[in-house]
PDB file of all heavy atoms in Angstrom:
ATOM      1  N   TYR A 294     241.970 218.269  51.811  1.00  0.00           N
ATOM      2  CA  TYR A 294     242.058 218.114  53.264  1.00  0.00           C
ATOM      3  C   TYR A 294     240.915 218.803  54.006  1.00  0.00           C
ATOM      4  O   TYR A 294     240.518 218.362  55.075  1.00  0.00           O
ATOM      5  CB  TYR A 294     243.406 218.629  53.782  1.00  0.00           C
ATOM      6  CG  TYR A 294     244.552 217.763  53.364  1.00  0.00           C
ATOM      7  CD1 TYR A 294     245.598 218.272  52.601  1.00  0.00           C
ATOM      8  CD2 TYR A 294     244.610 216.409  53.707  1.00  0.00           C
ATOM      9  CE1 TYR A 294     246.658 217.477  52.202  1.00  0.00           C
ATOM     10  CE2 TYR A 294     245.663 215.605  53.312  1.00  0.00           C
ATOM     11  CZ  TYR A 294     246.682 216.153  52.566  1.00  0.00           C
ATOM     12  OH  TYR A 294     247.719 215.361  52.169  1.00  0.00           O
ATOM     13  N   GLN A 295     240.402 219.865  53.429  1.00  0.00           N
ATOM     14  CA  GLN A 295     239.337 220.621  54.090  1.00  0.00           C
ATOM     15  C   GLN A 295     237.967 219.961  53.929  1.00  0.00           C
ATOM     16  O   GLN A 295     237.189 219.927  54.875  1.00  0.00           O
ATOM     17  CB  GLN A 295     239.279 222.041  53.519  1.00  0.00           C
ATOM     18  CG  GLN A 295     238.220 222.927  54.153  1.00  0.00           C
ATOM     19  CD  GLN A 295     238.593 223.387  55.545  1.00  0.00           C
ATOM     20  OE1 GLN A 295     239.705 223.806  55.776  1.00  0.00           O
ATOM     21  NE2 GLN A 295     237.680 223.309  56.479  1.00  0.00           N
ATOM     22  N   PHE A 296     237.685 219.420  52.738  1.00  0.00           N
ATOM     23  CA  PHE A 296     236.313 219.018  52.443  1.00  0.00           C
ATOM     24  C   PHE A 296     236.108 217.545  52.103  1.00  0.00           C
ATOM     25  O   PHE A 296     234.989 217.061  52.185  1.00  0.00           O
ATOM     26  CB  PHE A 296     235.761 219.866  51.284  1.00  0.00           C
ATOM     27  CG  PHE A 296     235.740 221.325  51.590  1.00  0.00           C
ATOM     28  CD1 PHE A 296     236.608 222.190  50.944  1.00  0.00           C
ATOM     29  CD2 PHE A 296     234.864 221.848  52.529  1.00  0.00           C
ATOM     30  CE1 PHE A 296     236.599 223.551  51.226  1.00  0.00           C
ATOM     31  CE2 PHE A 296     234.851 223.206  52.811  1.00  0.00           C
ATOM     32  CZ  PHE A 296     235.717 224.064  52.159  1.00  0.00           C
ATOM     33  N   VAL A 297     237.131 216.842  51.673  1.00  0.00           N
ATOM     34  CA  VAL A 297     236.957 215.466  51.197  1.00  0.00           C
ATOM     35  C   VAL A 297     237.178 214.498  52.357  1.00  0.00           C
ATOM     36  O   VAL A 297     238.189 214.595  53.059  1.00  0.00           O
ATOM     37  CB  VAL A 297     237.933 215.168  50.030  1.00  0.00           C
ATOM     38  CG1 VAL A 297     237.794 213.738  49.555  1.00  0.00           C
ATOM     39  CG2 VAL A 297     237.683 216.144  48.878  1.00  0.00           C
ATOM     40  N   PRO A 298     236.247 213.552  52.569  1.00  0.00           N
ATOM     41  CA  PRO A 298     236.440 212.567  53.635  1.00  0.00           C
ATOM     42  C   PRO A 298     237.714 211.752  53.389  1.00  0.00           C
ATOM     43  O   PRO A 298     238.097 211.495  52.247  1.00  0.00           O
ATOM     44  CB  PRO A 298     235.210 211.664  53.538  1.00  0.00           C
ATOM     45  CG  PRO A 298     234.228 212.403  52.697  1.00  0.00           C
ATOM     46  CD  PRO A 298     235.003 213.352  51.840  1.00  0.00           C
ATOM     47  N   MET A 299     238.339 211.338  54.473  1.00  0.00           N
ATOM     48  CA  MET A 299     239.616 210.618  54.412  1.00  0.00           C
ATOM     49  C   MET A 299     239.598 209.472  53.394  1.00  0.00           C
ATOM     50  O   MET A 299     240.514 209.326  52.602  1.00  0.00           O
ATOM     51  CB  MET A 299     239.966 210.097  55.809  1.00  0.00           C
ATOM     52  CG  MET A 299     241.175 209.209  55.862  1.00  0.00           C
ATOM     53  SD  MET A 299     242.659 210.083  55.371  1.00  0.00           S
ATOM     54  CE  MET A 299     243.871 208.949  55.948  1.00  0.00           C
ATOM     55  N   GLN A 300     238.563 208.652  53.414  1.00  0.00           N
ATOM     56  CA  GLN A 300     238.543 207.478  52.539  1.00  0.00           C
ATOM     57  C   GLN A 300     238.472 207.840  51.060  1.00  0.00           C
ATOM     58  O   GLN A 300     238.814 207.013  50.212  1.00  0.00           O
ATOM     59  CB  GLN A 300     237.401 206.537  52.906  1.00  0.00           C
ATOM     60  CG  GLN A 300     236.016 207.049  52.502  1.00  0.00           C
ATOM     61  CD  GLN A 300     234.918 206.078  52.850  1.00  0.00           C
ATOM     62  OE1 GLN A 300     235.029 205.298  53.756  1.00  0.00           O
ATOM     63  NE2 GLN A 300     233.840 206.122  52.099  1.00  0.00           N
ATOM     64  N   LEU A 301     238.080 209.067  50.730  1.00  0.00           N
ATOM     65  CA  LEU A 301     237.957 209.462  49.322  1.00  0.00           C
ATOM     66  C   LEU A 301     239.072 210.385  48.841  1.00  0.00           C
ATOM     67  O   LEU A 301     239.081 210.807  47.690  1.00  0.00           O
ATOM     68  CB  LEU A 301     236.594 210.135  49.088  1.00  0.00           C
ATOM     69  CG  LEU A 301     235.370 209.260  49.353  1.00  0.00           C
ATOM     70  CD1 LEU A 301     234.096 210.074  49.201  1.00  0.00           C
ATOM     71  CD2 LEU A 301     235.354 208.040  48.439  1.00  0.00           C
ATOM     72  N   ARG A 302     240.012 210.708  49.708  1.00  0.00           N
ATOM     73  CA  ARG A 302     241.054 211.666  49.334  1.00  0.00           C
ATOM     74  C   ARG A 302     241.941 211.172  48.195  1.00  0.00           C
ATOM     75  O   ARG A 302     242.297 211.949  47.312  1.00  0.00           O
ATOM     76  CB  ARG A 302     241.915 212.024  50.545  1.00  0.00           C
ATOM     77  CG  ARG A 302     241.194 212.908  51.507  1.00  0.00           C
ATOM     78  CD  ARG A 302     242.060 213.313  52.652  1.00  0.00           C
ATOM     79  NE  ARG A 302     241.254 214.009  53.635  1.00  0.00           N
ATOM     80  CZ  ARG A 302     241.578 214.120  54.894  1.00  0.00           C
ATOM     81  NH1 ARG A 302     242.723 213.620  55.339  1.00  0.00           N
ATOM     82  NH2 ARG A 302     240.798 214.760  55.724  1.00  0.00           N
ATOM     83  N   VAL A 303     242.319 209.917  48.221  1.00  0.00           N
ATOM     84  CA  VAL A 303     243.176 209.395  47.150  1.00  0.00           C
ATOM     85  C   VAL A 303     242.410 209.409  45.829  1.00  0.00           C
ATOM     86  O   VAL A 303     242.945 209.816  44.800  1.00  0.00           O
ATOM     87  CB  VAL A 303     243.708 207.988  47.493  1.00  0.00           C
ATOM     88  CG1 VAL A 303     244.449 207.381  46.311  1.00  0.00           C
ATOM     89  CG2 VAL A 303     244.616 208.052  48.718  1.00  0.00           C
ATOM     90  N   LEU A 304     241.150 209.005  45.850  1.00  0.00           N
ATOM     91  CA  LEU A 304     240.323 209.048  44.641  1.00  0.00           C
ATOM     92  C   LEU A 304     240.220 210.469  44.106  1.00  0.00           C
ATOM     93  O   LEU A 304     240.395 210.702  42.904  1.00  0.00           O
ATOM     94  CB  LEU A 304     238.928 208.494  44.920  1.00  0.00           C
ATOM     95  CG  LEU A 304     237.908 208.649  43.785  1.00  0.00           C
ATOM     96  CD1 LEU A 304     238.340 207.854  42.560  1.00  0.00           C
ATOM     97  CD2 LEU A 304     236.517 208.228  44.258  1.00  0.00           C
ATOM     98  N   PHE A 305     239.966 211.428  44.983  1.00  0.00           N
ATOM     99  CA  PHE A 305     239.858 212.823  44.550  1.00  0.00           C
ATOM    100  C   PHE A 305     241.146 213.303  43.894  1.00  0.00           C
ATOM    101  O   PHE A 305     241.127 213.858  42.791  1.00  0.00           O
ATOM    102  CB  PHE A 305     239.500 213.717  45.752  1.00  0.00           C
ATOM    103  CG  PHE A 305     239.452 215.180  45.410  1.00  0.00           C
ATOM    104  CD1 PHE A 305     238.368 215.708  44.729  1.00  0.00           C
ATOM    105  CD2 PHE A 305     240.492 216.029  45.760  1.00  0.00           C
ATOM    106  CE1 PHE A 305     238.332 217.062  44.400  1.00  0.00           C
ATOM    107  CE2 PHE A 305     240.470 217.376  45.438  1.00  0.00           C
ATOM    108  CZ  PHE A 305     239.372 217.891  44.766  1.00  0.00           C
ATOM    109  N   MET A 306     242.262 213.076  44.572  1.00  0.00           N
ATOM    110  CA  MET A 306     243.555 213.528  44.029  1.00  0.00           C
ATOM    111  C   MET A 306     243.890 212.801  42.726  1.00  0.00           C
ATOM    112  O   MET A 306     244.410 213.413  41.787  1.00  0.00           O
ATOM    113  CB  MET A 306     244.665 213.331  45.049  1.00  0.00           C
ATOM    114  CG  MET A 306     244.511 214.188  46.301  1.00  0.00           C
ATOM    115  SD  MET A 306     244.559 215.961  46.001  1.00  0.00           S
ATOM    116  CE  MET A 306     246.321 216.245  46.074  1.00  0.00           C
ATOM    117  N   ASN A 307     243.593 211.495  42.646  1.00  0.00           N
ATOM    118  CA  ASN A 307     243.874 210.751  41.422  1.00  0.00           C
ATOM    119  C   ASN A 307     242.988 211.216  40.266  1.00  0.00           C
ATOM    120  O   ASN A 307     243.428 211.236  39.116  1.00  0.00           O
ATOM    121  CB  ASN A 307     243.672 209.255  41.628  1.00  0.00           C
ATOM    122  CG  ASN A 307     244.768 208.585  42.429  1.00  0.00           C
ATOM    123  OD1 ASN A 307     244.613 207.458  42.870  1.00  0.00           O
ATOM    124  ND2 ASN A 307     245.874 209.266  42.652  1.00  0.00           N
ATOM    125  N   THR A 308     241.755 211.578  40.578  1.00  0.00           N
ATOM    126  CA  THR A 308     240.839 212.058  39.530  1.00  0.00           C
ATOM    127  C   THR A 308     241.329 213.385  38.975  1.00  0.00           C
ATOM    128  O   THR A 308     241.418 213.569  37.752  1.00  0.00           O
ATOM    129  CB  THR A 308     239.408 212.173  40.080  1.00  0.00           C
ATOM    130  OG1 THR A 308     239.003 210.884  40.573  1.00  0.00           O
ATOM    131  CG2 THR A 308     238.446 212.630  39.013  1.00  0.00           C
ATOM    132  N   ILE A 309     241.682 214.313  39.849  1.00  0.00           N
ATOM    133  CA  ILE A 309     242.247 215.588  39.402  1.00  0.00           C
ATOM    134  C   ILE A 309     243.584 215.317  38.701  1.00  0.00           C
ATOM    135  O   ILE A 309     243.942 215.983  37.723  1.00  0.00           O
ATOM    136  CB  ILE A 309     242.448 216.558  40.591  1.00  0.00           C
ATOM    137  CG1 ILE A 309     241.127 216.830  41.315  1.00  0.00           C
ATOM    138  CG2 ILE A 309     243.115 217.851  40.138  1.00  0.00           C
ATOM    139  CD1 ILE A 309     240.062 217.494  40.487  1.00  0.00           C
ATOM    140  N   GLY A 310     244.281 214.309  39.188  1.00  0.00           N
ATOM    141  CA  GLY A 310     245.587 213.955  38.642  1.00  0.00           C
ATOM    142  C   GLY A 310     245.561 213.459  37.212  1.00  0.00           C
ATOM    143  O   GLY A 310     246.609 213.426  36.553  1.00  0.00           O
ATOM    144  N   VAL A 311     244.397 213.077  36.691  1.00  0.00           N
ATOM    145  CA  VAL A 311     244.327 212.656  35.284  1.00  0.00           C
ATOM    146  C   VAL A 311     244.798 213.804  34.400  1.00  0.00           C
ATOM    147  O   VAL A 311     245.649 213.620  33.527  1.00  0.00           O
ATOM    148  CB  VAL A 311     242.902 212.186  34.904  1.00  0.00           C
ATOM    149  CG1 VAL A 311     242.774 212.001  33.394  1.00  0.00           C
ATOM    150  CG2 VAL A 311     242.562 210.879  35.619  1.00  0.00           C
ATOM    151  N   GLY A 312     244.286 214.992  34.644  1.00  0.00           N
ATOM    152  CA  GLY A 312     244.705 216.157  33.852  1.00  0.00           C
ATOM    153  C   GLY A 312     246.165 216.502  34.075  1.00  0.00           C
ATOM    154  O   GLY A 312     246.904 216.783  33.127  1.00  0.00           O
ATOM    155  N   TRP A 313     246.604 216.439  35.324  1.00  0.00           N
ATOM    156  CA  TRP A 313     248.002 216.714  35.638  1.00  0.00           C
ATOM    157  C   TRP A 313     248.903 215.664  34.998  1.00  0.00           C
ATOM    158  O   TRP A 313     249.984 215.977  34.489  1.00  0.00           O
ATOM    159  CB  TRP A 313     248.223 216.760  37.154  1.00  0.00           C
ATOM    160  CG  TRP A 313     249.646 217.058  37.497  1.00  0.00           C
ATOM    161  CD1 TRP A 313     250.571 216.180  37.963  1.00  0.00           C
ATOM    162  CD2 TRP A 313     250.315 218.309  37.363  1.00  0.00           C
ATOM    163  NE1 TRP A 313     251.782 216.810  38.135  1.00  0.00           N
ATOM    164  CE2 TRP A 313     251.647 218.126  37.784  1.00  0.00           C
ATOM    165  CE3 TRP A 313     249.918 219.570  36.947  1.00  0.00           C
ATOM    166  CZ2 TRP A 313     252.580 219.151  37.787  1.00  0.00           C
ATOM    167  CZ3 TRP A 313     250.852 220.592  36.954  1.00  0.00           C
ATOM    168  CH2 TRP A 313     252.163 220.374  37.372  1.00  0.00           C
ATOM    169  N   GLY A 314     248.447 214.427  35.001  1.00  0.00           N
ATOM    170  CA  GLY A 314     249.223 213.352  34.383  1.00  0.00           C
ATOM    171  C   GLY A 314     249.409 213.560  32.889  1.00  0.00           C
ATOM    172  O   GLY A 314     250.466 213.265  32.333  1.00  0.00           O
ATOM    173  N   VAL A 315     248.385 214.090  32.228  1.00  0.00           N
ATOM    174  CA  VAL A 315     248.514 214.413  30.805  1.00  0.00           C
ATOM    175  C   VAL A 315     249.604 215.471  30.638  1.00  0.00           C
ATOM    176  O   VAL A 315     250.501 215.327  29.797  1.00  0.00           O
ATOM    177  CB  VAL A 315     247.169 214.904  30.217  1.00  0.00           C
ATOM    178  CG1 VAL A 315     247.359 215.457  28.811  1.00  0.00           C
ATOM    179  CG2 VAL A 315     246.149 213.768  30.210  1.00  0.00           C
ATOM    180  N   PHE A 316     249.550 216.510  31.459  1.00  0.00           N
ATOM    181  CA  PHE A 316     250.579 217.558  31.423  1.00  0.00           C
ATOM    182  C   PHE A 316     251.965 216.958  31.663  1.00  0.00           C
ATOM    183  O   PHE A 316     252.914 217.235  30.912  1.00  0.00           O
ATOM    184  CB  PHE A 316     250.259 218.625  32.478  1.00  0.00           C
ATOM    185  CG  PHE A 316     251.376 219.607  32.722  1.00  0.00           C
ATOM    186  CD1 PHE A 316     251.607 220.651  31.832  1.00  0.00           C
ATOM    187  CD2 PHE A 316     252.196 219.489  33.836  1.00  0.00           C
ATOM    188  CE1 PHE A 316     252.632 221.562  32.057  1.00  0.00           C
ATOM    189  CE2 PHE A 316     253.223 220.392  34.067  1.00  0.00           C
ATOM    190  CZ  PHE A 316     253.444 221.427  33.181  1.00  0.00           C
ATOM    191  N   LEU A 317     252.114 216.131  32.699  1.00  0.00           N
ATOM    192  CA  LEU A 317     253.412 215.536  33.027  1.00  0.00           C
ATOM    193  C   LEU A 317     253.917 214.645  31.904  1.00  0.00           C
ATOM    194  O   LEU A 317     255.097 214.679  31.562  1.00  0.00           O
ATOM    195  CB  LEU A 317     253.312 214.700  34.309  1.00  0.00           C
ATOM    196  CG  LEU A 317     253.705 215.338  35.608  1.00  0.00           C
ATOM    197  CD1 LEU A 317     253.669 214.319  36.727  1.00  0.00           C
ATOM    198  CD2 LEU A 317     255.030 216.033  35.556  1.00  0.00           C
ATOM    199  N   ASN A 318     253.032 213.835  31.354  1.00  0.00           N
ATOM    200  CA  ASN A 318     253.421 212.969  30.238  1.00  0.00           C
ATOM    201  C   ASN A 318     253.959 213.786  29.074  1.00  0.00           C
ATOM    202  O   ASN A 318     254.956 213.434  28.457  1.00  0.00           O
ATOM    203  CB  ASN A 318     252.221 212.134  29.757  1.00  0.00           C
ATOM    204  CG  ASN A 318     252.101 210.809  30.422  1.00  0.00           C
ATOM    205  OD1 ASN A 318     252.855 209.891  30.123  1.00  0.00           O
ATOM    206  ND2 ASN A 318     251.175 210.695  31.348  1.00  0.00           N
ATOM    207  N   MET A 319     253.279 214.874  28.795  1.00  0.00           N
ATOM    208  CA  MET A 319     253.690 215.695  27.663  1.00  0.00           C
ATOM    209  C   MET A 319     255.007 216.416  27.967  1.00  0.00           C
ATOM    210  O   MET A 319     255.855 216.567  27.090  1.00  0.00           O
ATOM    211  CB  MET A 319     252.571 216.655  27.273  1.00  0.00           C
ATOM    212  CG  MET A 319     251.368 215.869  26.739  1.00  0.00           C
ATOM    213  SD  MET A 319     249.902 216.830  26.454  1.00  0.00           S
ATOM    214  CE  MET A 319     250.318 217.632  24.923  1.00  0.00           C
ATOM    215  N   LYS A 320     255.216 216.836  29.215  1.00  0.00           N
ATOM    216  CA  LYS A 320     256.471 217.485  29.595  1.00  0.00           C
ATOM    217  C   LYS A 320     257.618 216.477  29.687  1.00  0.00           C
ATOM    218  O   LYS A 320     258.766 216.831  29.446  1.00  0.00           O
ATOM    219  CB  LYS A 320     256.314 218.189  30.948  1.00  0.00           C
ATOM    220  CG  LYS A 320     255.430 219.401  30.945  1.00  0.00           C
ATOM    221  CD  LYS A 320     255.976 220.536  30.114  1.00  0.00           C
ATOM    222  CE  LYS A 320     257.007 221.311  30.875  1.00  0.00           C
ATOM    223  NZ  LYS A 320     257.522 222.474  30.200  1.00  0.00           N
ATOM    224  N   ALA A 321     257.303 215.240  30.033  1.00  0.00           N
ATOM    225  CA  ALA A 321     258.345 214.232  30.230  1.00  0.00           C
ATOM    226  C   ALA A 321     258.882 213.686  28.896  1.00  0.00           C
ATOM    227  O   ALA A 321     259.996 213.174  28.849  1.00  0.00           O
ATOM    228  CB  ALA A 321     257.818 213.062  31.062  1.00  0.00           C
TER     229      ALA A 321
END
């Protein structure tokens, strides 16, 4: 919210989310 332009926020969160998704998949 502080630094990423609005149009790129979903891409940024989804890119970081790749690692989180691996964690979630393994926990699930």
Side-chain angles (χ1 to χ4, degrees):
Y294 291 120
Q295 181 74 46
F296 300 110
V297 178
M299 174 63 165
Q300 73 179 27
L301 298 175
R302 287 183 188 158
V303 173
L304 172 64
F305 176 77
M306 295 298 273
N307 286 167
T308 302
I309 301 298
V311 169
W313 181 255
V315 170
F316 169 78
L317 264 185
N318 269 285
M319 294 172 77
K320 290 294 279 184

